[in-house]
Amino acid sequence: MSVQAAEGAEEGAEEGAEEAGGPAGTGGERRVSTLELFFDLVFVFTVTQLTVLLGRDLSFAQAGRVLLIFSVLFWMYGAYAYLTNQVPPETLARRIPLMLGMCGFLACALAVPEVFGRSGVAFGLGFLLVVLVHSALYAVLHGRYVLSFALTNVLAALCVTAAGLVRGAGADLLWGAALLLQTVTPVISSRITGTYTGGGRSRVTEQVGALDPGHFVERHGLLLLIVFGESVIAIGAGADGVRLDWALFLGVALALALAAALWWAYFDRDEEAAVQALHRATGLARFRRTMLAYYYSFIPMLLGVAVLAAGMKKAVGRLGAPLATAPSVALAGGVVLFLLGGLALRLSLGIRAPRRFRVAGAAVAAAAIPLGVGVAAVAELLALVVVLVAMLGAESRVRTGD
């Protein structure tokens, strides 16, 4: 991912939109291909594995490690999403490398449960394959431009690989270094690929095309939808081995309603509003908005669903009994993360929608934790569903002017 990619798009928006499958600023964007969706299914397996990792140890330290792993992985997911947004995987020469990148993500996912143990190096090598395939695809398409971001991405992958050779704080520091390298990549890219004129404006040496807003937003929406599917699987896993009676059915229905309410909070209006907001921006401004919305803001949304799934898996199996503190925090914390991530997405895109209800909803959701610890899991689930339904209802009334 690179600032220069978007900066070049500012001059060639119409040309780049034609490459993407539709004219700039219109509703003619191309749809997400089945191969891209297949790619996303493989990537979401990493989220599933992170949920397993978190489920083993619902502690703040483990949550921090999960955040590090996912942030590093999601950076490269975004890089592939940006790449295929510009150049659809419609030829054999593009499809085969993309499938090789999928193999790298699959290797990472398989190594996640022991990423800070015996599988650390395997994870790093899988991630290095992901980076190298992405860089190779960009090199074929855009030549020397790839150096502006490939070098830092490769260094980040090497940090992750080296982290597999050490234990404890050393591994955490190397993971942090990888994340830092990814964070500064857009800045470094701008300095490497830009030449400065007398007016002080950076000019792009390689034209890479414009971002297609409809395709980009749809791609991330489908990713989120697949992650929601994983939360449904977690409900089923929690109910495994428990006698199916009316009490269990009620609890499962509440857990599903909770996931459905979070789905509603994004897909009812925000997805379409995001497409419109990105259409209103161009070039560098559009790229910056996509970074803020679909990387930095999307991380807490995706992780929120993953954390919620970890809590659901624990809660569904003991609905009538009090929960331990960790799964109770996971239930409410997943909701809080999702709502705050959605709020950040609205702010970064300038979506004109009620925001105070999201803040209030997050605060009240956090206050439901004592219900799970002191009363029962089903009490916390019910409270969270009520909070979300009330929040969505209040937002709807404000939008319609009632």
Side-chain angles (χ1 to χ4, degrees):
M1 300 176 73
S2 169
V3 170
Q4 292 306 106
E7 207 171 16
E10 193 161 9
E11 295 180 2
E14 183 176 344
E15 177 185 347
E18 290 174 358
E19 286 184 25
T26 73
E29 298 94 345
R30 66 181 179 87
R31 303 301 300 272
V32 174
S33 69
T34 53
L35 180 56
E36 289 171 295
L37 187 57
F38 188 19
F39 185 99
D40 293 353
L41 286 168
V42 174
F43 174 75
V44 167
F45 183 41
T46 64
V47 181
T48 304
Q49 293 289 76
L50 287 172
T51 303
V52 172
L53 187 65
L54 189 60
R56 290 180 181 176
D57 178 16
L58 280 171
S59 65
F60 287 110
Q62 189 78 325
R65 293 190 182 98
V66 167
L67 176 60
L68 269 177
I69 297 169
F70 183 73
S71 298
V72 169
L73 283 172
F74 191 54
W75 173 266
M76 286 310 303
Y77 170 84
Y80 274 88
Y82 195 83
L83 172 66
T84 57
N85 180 274
Q86 298 173 54
V87 185
E90 296 173 347
T91 66
L92 187 64
R94 297 172 187 171
R95 288 176 175 175
I96 298 301
L98 196 61
M99 291 179 180
L100 190 58
M102 291 164 60
C103 289
F105 272 121
L106 182 60
C108 290
L110 292 171
V112 160
E114 297 292 336
V115 67
F116 289 100
R118 61 186 179 182
S119 299
V121 174
F123 181 99
L125 293 176
F127 189 64
L128 184 60
L129 176 61
V130 168
V131 171
L132 291 176
V133 169
H134 177 264
S135 300
L137 279 170
Y138 250 120
V140 170
L141 298 169
H142 304 301
R144 293 183 305 172
Y145 170 73
V146 70
L147 296 175
S148 66
F149 54 88
L151 292 177
T152 48
N153 283 341
V154 168
L155 285 174
L158 292 175
C159 284
V160 170
T161 305
L165 299 173
V166 298
R167 298 290 182 269
D172 294 339
L173 287 173
L174 284 167
W175 274 93
L179 184 59
L180 179 62
L181 282 166
Q182 292 175 339
T183 303
V184 302
T185 292
V187 178
I188 296 174
S189 171
S190 178
R191 293 184 179 278
I192 290 176
T193 61
T195 58
Y196 291 89
T197 65
R201 294 184 61 188
S202 176
R203 303 181 64 183
V204 180
T205 57
E206 301 287 345
Q207 189 77 296
V208 296
L211 179 75
D212 181 339
H215 174 272
F216 199 78
V217 172
E218 182 189 19
R219 178 78 184 271
H220 286 78
L222 289 172
L223 175 68
L224 180 59
L225 192 61
I226 297 170
V227 175
F228 272 121
E230 294 300 316
S231 70
V232 175
I233 293 174
I235 295 172
D240 186 36
V242 180
R243 180 174 173 270
L244 182 58
D245 53 18
W246 284 108
L248 178 61
F249 180 77
L250 174 61
V252 167
L254 283 173
L256 182 61
L258 183 57
L262 292 181
W263 169 87
W264 198 294
Y266 174 75
F267 286 100
D268 181 44
R269 295 176 184 266
D270 285 4
E271 187 177 41
E272 180 58 33
V275 175
Q276 296 173 4
L278 290 178
H279 270 307
R280 289 193 293 268
T282 58
L284 183 57
R286 177 181 290 178
F287 178 78
R288 285 173 173 166
R289 287 194 172 193
T290 60
M291 279 287 294
L292 290 172
Y294 287 100
Y295 179 69
Y296 294 108
S297 300
F298 226 60
I299 285 176
M301 292 178 68
L302 291 169
L303 283 181
V305 179
V307 171
L308 176 65
M312 283 178 171
K313 189 174 181 179
K314 300 285 186 181
V316 169
R318 46 181 302 138
L319 290 165
L323 286 171
T325 301
S328 182
V329 170
L331 274 178
V335 173
V336 172
L337 279 173
F338 188 91
L339 292 180
L340 294 181
L343 178 61
L345 184 142
R346 287 181 173 183
L347 291 170
S348 60
L349 292 176
I351 294 176
R352 304 185 71 177
R355 296 165 183 168
R356 62 186 182 276
F357 299 119
R358 296 291 166 111
V359 176
V364 179
I369 294 174
L371 287 175
V373 176
V375 183
V378 69
E380 183 176 1
L381 281 171
L382 178 59
L384 290 171
V385 171
V386 170
V387 168
L388 289 178
V389 170
M391 181 198 77
L392 293 170
E395 287 186 348
S396 179
R397 285 196 297 272
V398 169
R399 287 193 184 105
T400 57
D402 291 344

